[in-house]
Each structure stands twice: as structure tokens, then as C-alpha cells.
PDB file of all heavy atoms in Angstrom:
ATOM      1  N   GLU X 632     106.050 107.495  83.065  1.00  0.00           N
ATOM      2  CA  GLU X 632     105.002 108.520  83.053  1.00  0.00           C
ATOM      3  C   GLU X 632     105.078 109.343  81.772  1.00  0.00           C
ATOM      4  O   GLU X 632     104.055 109.615  81.119  1.00  0.00           O
ATOM      5  CB  GLU X 632     105.142 109.428  84.267  1.00  0.00           C
ATOM      6  CG  GLU X 632     104.066 110.500  84.357  1.00  0.00           C
ATOM      7  CD  GLU X 632     104.223 111.373  85.582  1.00  0.00           C
ATOM      8  OE1 GLU X 632     105.373 111.609  86.015  1.00  0.00           O
ATOM      9  OE2 GLU X 632     103.197 111.846  86.098  1.00  0.00           O
ATOM     10  N   LYS X 633     106.282 109.731  81.388  1.00  0.00           N
ATOM     11  CA  LYS X 633     106.466 110.507  80.157  1.00  0.00           C
ATOM     12  C   LYS X 633     106.095 109.694  78.925  1.00  0.00           C
ATOM     13  O   LYS X 633     105.475 110.214  77.984  1.00  0.00           O
ATOM     14  CB  LYS X 633     107.919 110.971  80.053  1.00  0.00           C
ATOM     15  CG  LYS X 633     108.206 111.829  78.834  1.00  0.00           C
ATOM     16  CD  LYS X 633     109.657 112.293  78.808  1.00  0.00           C
ATOM     17  CE  LYS X 633     109.945 113.146  77.585  1.00  0.00           C
ATOM     18  NZ  LYS X 633     111.365 113.585  77.547  1.00  0.00           N
ATOM     19  N   ALA X 634     106.450 108.395  78.935  1.00  0.00           N
ATOM     20  CA  ALA X 634     106.172 107.530  77.786  1.00  0.00           C
ATOM     21  C   ALA X 634     104.742 107.005  77.782  1.00  0.00           C
ATOM     22  O   ALA X 634     104.294 106.428  76.799  1.00  0.00           O
ATOM     23  CB  ALA X 634     107.140 106.355  77.779  1.00  0.00           C
ATOM     24  N   LYS X 635     104.026 107.184  78.924  1.00  0.00           N
ATOM     25  CA  LYS X 635     102.656 106.687  79.071  1.00  0.00           C
ATOM     26  C   LYS X 635     102.591 105.165  78.916  1.00  0.00           C
ATOM     27  O   LYS X 635     101.815 104.619  78.133  1.00  0.00           O
ATOM     28  CB  LYS X 635     101.707 107.391  78.094  1.00  0.00           C
ATOM     29  CG  LYS X 635     101.566 108.883  78.378  1.00  0.00           C
ATOM     30  CD  LYS X 635     100.613 109.564  77.415  1.00  0.00           C
ATOM     31  CE  LYS X 635     100.236 110.973  77.836  1.00  0.00           C
ATOM     32  NZ  LYS X 635     101.320 111.790  78.393  1.00  0.00           N
ATOM     33  N   ILE X 636     103.444 104.503  79.698  1.00  0.00           N
ATOM     34  CA  ILE X 636     103.493 103.040  79.764  1.00  0.00           C
ATOM     35  C   ILE X 636     103.231 102.630  81.207  1.00  0.00           C
ATOM     36  O   ILE X 636     103.929 103.095  82.115  1.00  0.00           O
ATOM     37  CB  ILE X 636     104.876 102.493  79.338  1.00  0.00           C
ATOM     38  CG1 ILE X 636     105.224 102.917  77.911  1.00  0.00           C
ATOM     39  CG2 ILE X 636     104.935 100.978  79.485  1.00  0.00           C
ATOM     40  CD1 ILE X 636     104.403 102.253  76.838  1.00  0.00           C
ATOM     41  N   PRO X 637     102.249 101.772  81.480  1.00  0.00           N
ATOM     42  CA  PRO X 637     101.995 101.391  82.873  1.00  0.00           C
ATOM     43  C   PRO X 637     103.133 100.579  83.480  1.00  0.00           C
ATOM     44  O   PRO X 637     103.734  99.739  82.815  1.00  0.00           O
ATOM     45  CB  PRO X 637     100.707 100.562  82.781  1.00  0.00           C
ATOM     46  CG  PRO X 637     100.625 100.112  81.367  1.00  0.00           C
ATOM     47  CD  PRO X 637     101.294 101.162  80.545  1.00  0.00           C
ATOM     48  N   LEU X 638     103.404 100.842  84.754  1.00  0.00           N
ATOM     49  CA  LEU X 638     104.420 100.128  85.525  1.00  0.00           C
ATOM     50  C   LEU X 638     103.741  99.448  86.709  1.00  0.00           C
ATOM     51  O   LEU X 638     103.059 100.111  87.498  1.00  0.00           O
ATOM     52  CB  LEU X 638     105.483 101.101  86.044  1.00  0.00           C
ATOM     53  CG  LEU X 638     106.464 100.555  87.089  1.00  0.00           C
ATOM     54  CD1 LEU X 638     107.384  99.501  86.480  1.00  0.00           C
ATOM     55  CD2 LEU X 638     107.287 101.691  87.713  1.00  0.00           C
ATOM     56  N   VAL X 639     103.927  98.125  86.832  1.00  0.00           N
ATOM     57  CA  VAL X 639     103.434  97.392  87.994  1.00  0.00           C
ATOM     58  C   VAL X 639     104.632  97.073  88.882  1.00  0.00           C
ATOM     59  O   VAL X 639     105.516  96.308  88.491  1.00  0.00           O
ATOM     60  CB  VAL X 639     102.679  96.110  87.594  1.00  0.00           C
ATOM     61  CG1 VAL X 639     102.271  95.326  88.839  1.00  0.00           C
ATOM     62  CG2 VAL X 639     101.451  96.451  86.762  1.00  0.00           C
ATOM     63  N   VAL X 640     104.670  97.689  90.053  1.00  0.00           N
ATOM     64  CA  VAL X 640     105.765  97.494  91.000  1.00  0.00           C
ATOM     65  C   VAL X 640     105.448  96.249  91.819  1.00  0.00           C
ATOM     66  O   VAL X 640     104.419  96.187  92.489  1.00  0.00           O
ATOM     67  CB  VAL X 640     105.911  98.717  91.923  1.00  0.00           C
ATOM     68  CG1 VAL X 640     107.043  98.512  92.924  1.00  0.00           C
ATOM     69  CG2 VAL X 640     106.144  99.972  91.084  1.00  0.00           C
ATOM     70  N   GLU X 641     106.358  95.270  91.763  1.00  0.00           N
ATOM     71  CA  GLU X 641     106.043  93.970  92.343  1.00  0.00           C
ATOM     72  C   GLU X 641     106.763  93.688  93.660  1.00  0.00           C
ATOM     73  O   GLU X 641     106.296  92.868  94.439  1.00  0.00           O
ATOM     74  CB  GLU X 641     106.317  92.865  91.322  1.00  0.00           C
ATOM     75  CG  GLU X 641     107.733  92.412  91.071  1.00  0.00           C
ATOM     76  CD  GLU X 641     108.868  93.397  91.091  1.00  0.00           C
ATOM     77  OE1 GLU X 641     108.715  94.600  90.824  1.00  0.00           O
ATOM     78  OE2 GLU X 641     109.980  92.951  91.412  1.00  0.00           O
ATOM     79  N   THR X 642     107.884  94.336  93.940  1.00  0.00           N
ATOM     80  CA  THR X 642     108.657  93.985  95.140  1.00  0.00           C
ATOM     81  C   THR X 642     109.148  95.203  95.911  1.00  0.00           C
ATOM     82  O   THR X 642     109.265  95.143  97.132  1.00  0.00           O
ATOM     83  CB  THR X 642     109.885  93.117  94.759  1.00  0.00           C
ATOM     84  OG1 THR X 642     109.455  92.016  93.962  1.00  0.00           O
ATOM     85  CG2 THR X 642     110.575  92.567  95.992  1.00  0.00           C
ATOM     86  N   SER X 643     109.442  96.290  95.247  1.00  0.00           N
ATOM     87  CA  SER X 643     110.004  97.474  95.913  1.00  0.00           C
ATOM     88  C   SER X 643     109.080  97.953  97.033  1.00  0.00           C
ATOM     89  O   SER X 643     107.863  98.002  96.865  1.00  0.00           O
ATOM     90  CB  SER X 643     110.208  98.603  94.906  1.00  0.00           C
ATOM     91  OG  SER X 643     111.006  98.172  93.831  1.00  0.00           O
ATOM     92  N   THR X 644     109.668  98.349  98.157  1.00  0.00           N
ATOM     93  CA  THR X 644     108.859  98.660  99.338  1.00  0.00           C
ATOM     94  C   THR X 644     108.959 100.097  99.837  1.00  0.00           C
ATOM     95  O   THR X 644     108.311 100.454 100.824  1.00  0.00           O
ATOM     96  CB  THR X 644     109.256  97.717 100.501  1.00  0.00           C
ATOM     97  OG1 THR X 644     110.672  97.789 100.700  1.00  0.00           O
ATOM     98  CG2 THR X 644     108.845  96.281 100.220  1.00  0.00           C
ATOM     99  N   SER X 645     109.749 100.953  99.195  1.00  0.00           N
ATOM    100  CA  SER X 645     109.901 102.322  99.684  1.00  0.00           C
ATOM    101  C   SER X 645     108.545 103.037  99.735  1.00  0.00           C
ATOM    102  O   SER X 645     107.793 103.038  98.757  1.00  0.00           O
ATOM    103  CB  SER X 645     110.835 103.119  98.775  1.00  0.00           C
ATOM    104  OG  SER X 645     110.811 104.493  99.137  1.00  0.00           O
ATOM    105  N   PRO X 646     108.201 103.678 100.864  1.00  0.00           N
ATOM    106  CA  PRO X 646     106.949 104.443 100.940  1.00  0.00           C
ATOM    107  C   PRO X 646     106.868 105.570  99.913  1.00  0.00           C
ATOM    108  O   PRO X 646     105.766 106.022  99.565  1.00  0.00           O
ATOM    109  CB  PRO X 646     106.977 104.998 102.374  1.00  0.00           C
ATOM    110  CG  PRO X 646     107.808 104.018 103.138  1.00  0.00           C
ATOM    111  CD  PRO X 646     108.878 103.596 102.173  1.00  0.00           C
ATOM    112  N   LYS X 647     108.025 106.032  99.412  1.00  0.00           N
ATOM    113  CA  LYS X 647     108.027 107.105  98.413  1.00  0.00           C
ATOM    114  C   LYS X 647     107.232 106.721  97.161  1.00  0.00           C
ATOM    115  O   LYS X 647     106.651 107.580  96.496  1.00  0.00           O
ATOM    116  CB  LYS X 647     109.457 107.454  98.002  1.00  0.00           C
ATOM    117  CG  LYS X 647     110.288 108.160  99.050  1.00  0.00           C
ATOM    118  CD  LYS X 647     111.664 108.483  98.484  1.00  0.00           C
ATOM    119  CE  LYS X 647     112.564 109.146  99.502  1.00  0.00           C
ATOM    120  NZ  LYS X 647     113.916 109.427  98.936  1.00  0.00           N
ATOM    121  N   ILE X 648     107.231 105.437  96.833  1.00  0.00           N
ATOM    122  CA  ILE X 648     106.540 104.987  95.624  1.00  0.00           C
ATOM    123  C   ILE X 648     105.046 105.264  95.738  1.00  0.00           C
ATOM    124  O   ILE X 648     104.424 105.808  94.821  1.00  0.00           O
ATOM    125  CB  ILE X 648     106.818 103.495  95.369  1.00  0.00           C
ATOM    126  CG1 ILE X 648     108.314 103.283  95.075  1.00  0.00           C
ATOM    127  CG2 ILE X 648     105.974 102.961  94.210  1.00  0.00           C
ATOM    128  CD1 ILE X 648     108.751 101.841  95.109  1.00  0.00           C
ATOM    129  N   THR X 649     104.466 104.919  96.888  1.00  0.00           N
ATOM    130  CA  THR X 649     103.045 105.180  97.121  1.00  0.00           C
ATOM    131  C   THR X 649     102.776 106.678  97.158  1.00  0.00           C
ATOM    132  O   THR X 649     101.784 107.153  96.601  1.00  0.00           O
ATOM    133  CB  THR X 649     102.590 104.533  98.437  1.00  0.00           C
ATOM    134  OG1 THR X 649     102.818 103.126  98.372  1.00  0.00           O
ATOM    135  CG2 THR X 649     101.116 104.769  98.686  1.00  0.00           C
ATOM    136  N   GLU X 650     103.658 107.423  97.820  1.00  0.00           N
ATOM    137  CA  GLU X 650     103.466 108.869  97.930  1.00  0.00           C
ATOM    138  C   GLU X 650     103.436 109.542  96.565  1.00  0.00           C
ATOM    139  O   GLU X 650     102.696 110.510  96.359  1.00  0.00           O
ATOM    140  CB  GLU X 650     104.583 109.473  98.782  1.00  0.00           C
ATOM    141  CG  GLU X 650     104.553 109.032 100.240  1.00  0.00           C
ATOM    142  CD  GLU X 650     105.849 109.325 100.971  1.00  0.00           C
ATOM    143  OE1 GLU X 650     106.724 109.986 100.367  1.00  0.00           O
ATOM    144  OE2 GLU X 650     106.001 108.885 102.126  1.00  0.00           O
ATOM    145  N   GLN X 651     104.232 109.013  95.629  1.00  0.00           N
ATOM    146  CA  GLN X 651     104.360 109.663  94.320  1.00  0.00           C
ATOM    147  C   GLN X 651     103.390 109.115  93.272  1.00  0.00           C
ATOM    148  O   GLN X 651     103.289 109.672  92.178  1.00  0.00           O
ATOM    149  CB  GLN X 651     105.792 109.504  93.809  1.00  0.00           C
ATOM    150  CG  GLN X 651     106.830 110.216  94.665  1.00  0.00           C
ATOM    151  CD  GLN X 651     108.247 110.012  94.173  1.00  0.00           C
ATOM    152  OE1 GLN X 651     108.472 109.605  93.038  1.00  0.00           O
ATOM    153  NE2 GLN X 651     109.221 110.287  95.031  1.00  0.00           N
ATOM    154  N   ALA X 652     102.686 108.027  93.591  1.00  0.00           N
ATOM    155  CA  ALA X 652     101.829 107.379  92.587  1.00  0.00           C
ATOM    156  C   ALA X 652     100.365 107.748  92.787  1.00  0.00           C
ATOM    157  O   ALA X 652      99.939 108.164  93.862  1.00  0.00           O
ATOM    158  CB  ALA X 652     101.995 105.859  92.664  1.00  0.00           C
ATOM    159  N   GLY X 653      99.603 107.569  91.696  1.00  0.00           N
ATOM    160  CA  GLY X 653      98.154 107.739  91.779  1.00  0.00           C
ATOM    161  C   GLY X 653      97.723 109.181  91.831  1.00  0.00           C
ATOM    162  O   GLY X 653      98.294 110.052  91.161  1.00  0.00           O
ATOM    163  N   VAL X 654      96.720 109.469  92.652  1.00  0.00           N
ATOM    164  CA  VAL X 654      96.066 110.775  92.664  1.00  0.00           C
ATOM    165  C   VAL X 654      97.080 111.899  92.881  1.00  0.00           C
ATOM    166  O   VAL X 654      97.891 111.869  93.803  1.00  0.00           O
ATOM    167  CB  VAL X 654      94.967 110.810  93.751  1.00  0.00           C
ATOM    168  CG1 VAL X 654      95.543 110.585  95.140  1.00  0.00           C
ATOM    169  CG2 VAL X 654      94.196 112.115  93.688  1.00  0.00           C
ATOM    170  N   GLY X 655      97.036 112.882  92.000  1.00  0.00           N
ATOM    171  CA  GLY X 655      97.918 114.032  92.109  1.00  0.00           C
ATOM    172  C   GLY X 655      99.358 113.759  91.772  1.00  0.00           C
ATOM    173  O   GLY X 655     100.217 114.623  91.955  1.00  0.00           O
ATOM    174  N   GLY X 656      99.650 112.551  91.268  1.00  0.00           N
ATOM    175  CA  GLY X 656     101.036 112.208  90.982  1.00  0.00           C
ATOM    176  C   GLY X 656     101.165 111.371  89.737  1.00  0.00           C
ATOM    177  O   GLY X 656     100.558 111.670  88.702  1.00  0.00           O
ATOM    178  N   ASN X 657     101.941 110.309  89.831  1.00  0.00           N
ATOM    179  CA  ASN X 657     102.237 109.452  88.686  1.00  0.00           C
ATOM    180  C   ASN X 657     101.115 108.432  88.528  1.00  0.00           C
ATOM    181  O   ASN X 657     101.051 107.433  89.240  1.00  0.00           O
ATOM    182  CB  ASN X 657     103.577 108.748  88.922  1.00  0.00           C
ATOM    183  CG  ASN X 657     104.059 107.984  87.713  1.00  0.00           C
ATOM    184  OD1 ASN X 657     103.284 107.339  87.021  1.00  0.00           O
ATOM    185  ND2 ASN X 657     105.358 108.018  87.461  1.00  0.00           N
ATOM    186  N   THR X 658     100.227 108.670  87.589  1.00  0.00           N
ATOM    187  CA  THR X 658      99.051 107.808  87.419  1.00  0.00           C
ATOM    188  C   THR X 658      99.344 106.556  86.601  1.00  0.00           C
ATOM    189  O   THR X 658      98.441 105.756  86.348  1.00  0.00           O
ATOM    190  CB  THR X 658      97.908 108.585  86.741  1.00  0.00           C
ATOM    191  OG1 THR X 658      98.344 109.052  85.451  1.00  0.00           O
ATOM    192  CG2 THR X 658      97.482 109.772  87.589  1.00  0.00           C
ATOM    193  N   TRP X 659     100.590 106.369  86.213  1.00  0.00           N
ATOM    194  CA  TRP X 659     100.974 105.191  85.424  1.00  0.00           C
ATOM    195  C   TRP X 659     101.653 104.117  86.274  1.00  0.00           C
ATOM    196  O   TRP X 659     102.002 103.048  85.769  1.00  0.00           O
ATOM    197  CB  TRP X 659     101.898 105.613  84.263  1.00  0.00           C
ATOM    198  CG  TRP X 659     101.180 106.461  83.267  1.00  0.00           C
ATOM    199  CD1 TRP X 659     101.000 107.820  83.316  1.00  0.00           C
ATOM    200  CD2 TRP X 659     100.493 106.013  82.104  1.00  0.00           C
ATOM    201  NE1 TRP X 659     100.245 108.232  82.245  1.00  0.00           N
ATOM    202  CE2 TRP X 659      99.927 107.147  81.473  1.00  0.00           C
ATOM    203  CE3 TRP X 659     100.311 104.763  81.505  1.00  0.00           C
ATOM    204  CZ2 TRP X 659      99.190 107.074  80.294  1.00  0.00           C
ATOM    205  CZ3 TRP X 659      99.570 104.675  80.331  1.00  0.00           C
ATOM    206  CH2 TRP X 659      99.021 105.819  79.742  1.00  0.00           C
ATOM    207  N   THR X 660     101.823 104.389  87.572  1.00  0.00           N
ATOM    208  CA  THR X 660     102.504 103.453  88.466  1.00  0.00           C
ATOM    209  C   THR X 660     101.509 102.800  89.415  1.00  0.00           C
ATOM    210  O   THR X 660     100.678 103.485  90.023  1.00  0.00           O
ATOM    211  CB  THR X 660     103.589 104.181  89.281  1.00  0.00           C
ATOM    212  OG1 THR X 660     104.573 104.711  88.398  1.00  0.00           O
ATOM    213  CG2 THR X 660     104.265 103.233  90.264  1.00  0.00           C
ATOM    214  N   PHE X 661     101.621 101.475  89.563  1.00  0.00           N
ATOM    215  CA  PHE X 661     100.774 100.683  90.458  1.00  0.00           C
ATOM    216  C   PHE X 661     101.676  99.754  91.269  1.00  0.00           C
ATOM    217  O   PHE X 661     102.609  99.172  90.725  1.00  0.00           O
ATOM    218  CB  PHE X 661      99.778  99.838  89.656  1.00  0.00           C
ATOM    219  CG  PHE X 661      98.838 100.632  88.799  1.00  0.00           C
ATOM    220  CD1 PHE X 661      99.249 101.131  87.561  1.00  0.00           C
ATOM    221  CD2 PHE X 661      97.546 100.887  89.213  1.00  0.00           C
ATOM    222  CE1 PHE X 661      98.383 101.863  86.763  1.00  0.00           C
ATOM    223  CE2 PHE X 661      96.668 101.623  88.421  1.00  0.00           C
ATOM    224  CZ  PHE X 661      97.094 102.116  87.191  1.00  0.00           C
ATOM    225  N   ARG X 662     101.374  99.589  92.561  1.00  0.00           N
ATOM    226  CA  ARG X 662     102.191  98.684  93.376  1.00  0.00           C
ATOM    227  C   ARG X 662     101.300  97.593  93.991  1.00  0.00           C
ATOM    228  O   ARG X 662     100.280  97.889  94.615  1.00  0.00           O
ATOM    229  CB  ARG X 662     102.933  99.431  94.477  1.00  0.00           C
ATOM    230  CG  ARG X 662     103.723  98.458  95.367  1.00  0.00           C
ATOM    231  CD  ARG X 662     104.859  99.085  96.118  1.00  0.00           C
ATOM    232  NE  ARG X 662     104.472 100.195  96.970  1.00  0.00           N
ATOM    233  CZ  ARG X 662     105.345 100.876  97.707  1.00  0.00           C
ATOM    234  NH1 ARG X 662     106.631 100.571  97.685  1.00  0.00           N
ATOM    235  NH2 ARG X 662     104.947 101.880  98.455  1.00  0.00           N
ATOM    236  N   ILE X 663     101.742  96.323  93.849  1.00  0.00           N
ATOM    237  CA  ILE X 663     100.941  95.215  94.351  1.00  0.00           C
ATOM    238  C   ILE X 663     101.412  94.701  95.706  1.00  0.00           C
ATOM    239  O   ILE X 663     100.701  93.904  96.335  1.00  0.00           O
ATOM    240  CB  ILE X 663     100.915  94.046  93.342  1.00  0.00           C
ATOM    241  CG1 ILE X 663     102.315  93.431  93.162  1.00  0.00           C
ATOM    242  CG2 ILE X 663     100.337  94.480  92.025  1.00  0.00           C
ATOM    243  CD1 ILE X 663     102.313  92.140  92.360  1.00  0.00           C
ATOM    244  N   ASN X 664     102.600  95.080  96.157  1.00  0.00           N
ATOM    245  CA  ASN X 664     103.109  94.590  97.439  1.00  0.00           C
ATOM    246  C   ASN X 664     103.036  95.686  98.498  1.00  0.00           C
ATOM    247  O   ASN X 664     102.982  96.872  98.174  1.00  0.00           O
ATOM    248  CB  ASN X 664     104.558  94.099  97.298  1.00  0.00           C
ATOM    249  CG  ASN X 664     105.490  95.221  96.929  1.00  0.00           C
ATOM    250  OD1 ASN X 664     105.259  95.919  95.949  1.00  0.00           O
ATOM    251  ND2 ASN X 664     106.555  95.419  97.688  1.00  0.00           N
ATOM    252  N   PRO X 665     103.036  95.308  99.784  1.00  0.00           N
ATOM    253  CA  PRO X 665     102.965  96.328 100.832  1.00  0.00           C
ATOM    254  C   PRO X 665     104.212  97.204 100.851  1.00  0.00           C
ATOM    255  O   PRO X 665     105.304  96.766 100.485  1.00  0.00           O
ATOM    256  CB  PRO X 665     102.871  95.498 102.121  1.00  0.00           C
ATOM    257  CG  PRO X 665     102.470  94.124 101.692  1.00  0.00           C
ATOM    258  CD  PRO X 665     103.033  93.944 100.325  1.00  0.00           C
ATOM    259  N   SER X 666     104.050  98.438 101.296  1.00  0.00           N
ATOM    260  CA  SER X 666     105.192  99.324 101.479  1.00  0.00           C
ATOM    261  C   SER X 666     105.863  99.017 102.820  1.00  0.00           C
ATOM    262  O   SER X 666     105.308  98.300 103.663  1.00  0.00           O
ATOM    263  CB  SER X 666     104.744 100.785 101.467  1.00  0.00           C
ATOM    264  OG  SER X 666     104.057 101.101 102.676  1.00  0.00           O
ATOM    265  N   ASP X 667     107.053  99.582 103.023  1.00  0.00           N
ATOM    266  CA  ASP X 667     107.726  99.398 104.300  1.00  0.00           C
ATOM    267  C   ASP X 667     106.914  99.964 105.457  1.00  0.00           C
ATOM    268  O   ASP X 667     106.980  99.446 106.579  1.00  0.00           O
ATOM    269  CB  ASP X 667     109.112 100.059 104.266  1.00  0.00           C
ATOM    270  CG  ASP X 667     110.143  99.173 103.589  1.00  0.00           C
ATOM    271  OD1 ASP X 667     110.123  97.955 103.833  1.00  0.00           O
ATOM    272  OD2 ASP X 667     110.957  99.697 102.810  1.00  0.00           O
ATOM    273  N   SER X 668     106.145 101.000 105.208  1.00  0.00           N
ATOM    274  CA  SER X 668     105.305 101.560 106.269  1.00  0.00           C
ATOM    275  C   SER X 668     104.283 100.538 106.736  1.00  0.00           C
ATOM    276  O   SER X 668     104.057 100.348 107.938  1.00  0.00           O
ATOM    277  CB  SER X 668     104.589 102.822 105.772  1.00  0.00           C
ATOM    278  OG  SER X 668     105.511 103.841 105.478  1.00  0.00           O
ATOM    279  N   GLU X 669     103.656  99.854 105.780  1.00  0.00           N
ATOM    280  CA  GLU X 669     102.660  98.839 106.121  1.00  0.00           C
ATOM    281  C   GLU X 669     103.309  97.614 106.767  1.00  0.00           C
ATOM    282  O   GLU X 669     102.796  97.057 107.744  1.00  0.00           O
ATOM    283  CB  GLU X 669     101.893  98.439 104.861  1.00  0.00           C
ATOM    284  CG  GLU X 669     101.050  99.566 104.305  1.00  0.00           C
ATOM    285  CD  GLU X 669     100.473  99.252 102.943  1.00  0.00           C
ATOM    286  OE1 GLU X 669     101.212  98.772 102.064  1.00  0.00           O
ATOM    287  OE2 GLU X 669      99.265  99.483 102.753  1.00  0.00           O
ATOM    288  N   LEU X 670     104.440  97.181 106.221  1.00  0.00           N
ATOM    289  CA  LEU X 670     105.141  96.029 106.788  1.00  0.00           C
ATOM    290  C   LEU X 670     105.639  96.334 108.202  1.00  0.00           C
ATOM    291  O   LEU X 670     105.630  95.457 109.077  1.00  0.00           O
ATOM    292  CB  LEU X 670     106.310  95.634 105.891  1.00  0.00           C
ATOM    293  CG  LEU X 670     105.928  95.074 104.515  1.00  0.00           C
ATOM    294  CD1 LEU X 670     107.171  94.902 103.649  1.00  0.00           C
ATOM    295  CD2 LEU X 670     105.185  93.751 104.630  1.00  0.00           C
ATOM    296  N   ALA X 671     106.058  97.576 108.427  1.00  0.00           N
ATOM    297  CA  ALA X 671     106.543  97.964 109.755  1.00  0.00           C
ATOM    298  C   ALA X 671     105.438  97.863 110.799  1.00  0.00           C
ATOM    299  O   ALA X 671     105.693  97.497 111.951  1.00  0.00           O
ATOM    300  CB  ALA X 671     107.104  99.382 109.711  1.00  0.00           C
ATOM    301  N   VAL X 672     104.224  98.169 110.402  1.00  0.00           N
ATOM    302  CA  VAL X 672     103.095  98.075 111.337  1.00  0.00           C
ATOM    303  C   VAL X 672     102.909  96.632 111.790  1.00  0.00           C
ATOM    304  O   VAL X 672     102.751  96.349 112.989  1.00  0.00           O
ATOM    305  CB  VAL X 672     101.803  98.613 110.689  1.00  0.00           C
ATOM    306  CG1 VAL X 672     100.594  98.283 111.554  1.00  0.00           C
ATOM    307  CG2 VAL X 672     101.895 100.106 110.465  1.00  0.00           C
ATOM    308  N   GLY X 673     102.938  95.698 110.850  1.00  0.00           N
ATOM    309  CA  GLY X 673     102.779  94.298 111.196  1.00  0.00           C
ATOM    310  C   GLY X 673     103.901  93.783 112.084  1.00  0.00           C
ATOM    311  O   GLY X 673     103.655  93.079 113.074  1.00  0.00           O
ATOM    312  N   LEU X 674     105.140  94.149 111.732  1.00  0.00           N
ATOM    313  CA  LEU X 674     106.279  93.707 112.530  1.00  0.00           C
ATOM    314  C   LEU X 674     106.222  94.327 113.928  1.00  0.00           C
ATOM    315  O   LEU X 674     106.492  93.648 114.933  1.00  0.00           O
ATOM    316  CB  LEU X 674     107.584  94.097 111.838  1.00  0.00           C
ATOM    317  CG  LEU X 674     108.868  93.685 112.554  1.00  0.00           C
ATOM    318  CD1 LEU X 674     108.955  92.172 112.710  1.00  0.00           C
ATOM    319  CD2 LEU X 674     110.095  94.211 111.803  1.00  0.00           C
TER     320      LEU X 674
END
């Protein structure tokens, strides 16, 4: 975020990543895989 370099998160599943990314937060982070919250719903 400080360096202004985009990060694509490919495997990490912690819900904190979604909570901290995007609107009102870290706009340089994107996640392509489901979070543990989403995976927990399916399981």
C-alpha cells in the first residue's frame, strides 16, 4: 500500500484480508480465492 504496488492474493484465506482491503482500506490488495468465512459456509 505504501509502495503503491498491486497485490493479488491467490491462496491465503484469513477473513482479515477482505476486511482490510478495498473500500475504506487497502485499495492495492485483491483476493481471488474464497475466504475462510465463505469456505466455512459451504462446509
Side-chain angles (χ1 to χ4, degrees):
E632 182 179 33
K633 182 178 180 181
K635 295 181 168 40
I636 301 290
L638 169 68
V639 176
V640 179
E641 78 324 333
T642 308
S643 305
T644 53
S645 171
K647 290 182 182 179
I648 295 167
T649 301
E650 294 164 6
Q651 295 178 17
V654 61
N657 188 320
T658 60
W659 293 86
T660 298
F661 300 80
R662 177 158 57 180
I663 65 171
N664 64 306
S666 73
D667 279 319
S668 295
E669 294 171 313
L670 293 172
V672 170
L674 181 61

